Amino acid sequence: MMGGNVKFRGAGQYKLHFEVSNAPGNIAEGKSAPDRPAVLGEATHDYFNYENVNDCGYGFSAHFFKKFVVLKTTTPNETLGCFGMGVAFDGVYVKVKP
């Protein structure tokens, strides 16, 4: 079992760009489109949903906690063909200091 990482950077008020690389056996990689950052949810600003990663139809949600973020696939299994062998971004990613 390998591992993965996700990087976030600000893209304006309540907006983030992301890059994800998850390799639990095969690899799932994707990032936000340059002109389409993720928009944090209203009121709590501790989550976002993002559709059409890498223009392949894959979508996921990110839920932020103090020391980690949880990524979860939100689209049907057919979109798992975006990556090798049905892998996805799903997982808990622990926050580390840069």
Side-chain angles (χ1 to χ4, degrees):
M1 182 169 177
M2 293 174 73
N5 66 65
V6 59
K7 296 177 184 176
F8 297 101
R9 64 180 169 82
Q13 187 172 19
Y14 305 122
K15 296 179 182 178
L16 295 172
H17 279 294
F18 64 85
E19 291 182 44
V20 179
S21 178
N22 190 19
N26 214 322
I27 194 161
E29 291 183 314
K31 61 184 176 180
S32 54
D35 60 343
R36 192 169 59 95
V39 178
L40 295 171
E42 292 185 29
T44 60
H45 308 294
D46 62 355
Y47 73 94
F48 68 76
N49 292 304
Y50 198 90
E51 301 296 324
N52 297 311
V53 175
N54 295 355
D55 298 322
C56 68
Y58 177 73
F60 74 102
S61 64
H63 297 269
F64 296 91
F65 298 88
K66 189 171 185 173
K67 295 187 178 189
F68 60 93
V69 62
V70 177
L71 304 187
K72 184 174 180 176
T73 300
T74 58
T75 49
N77 285 341
E78 298 83 59
T79 63
L80 297 181
C82 294
F83 314 115
M85 302 290 288
V87 298
F89 293 172
D90 295 344
V92 176
Y93 298 79
V94 177
K95 183 177 182 180
V96 294
K97 293 182 180 183

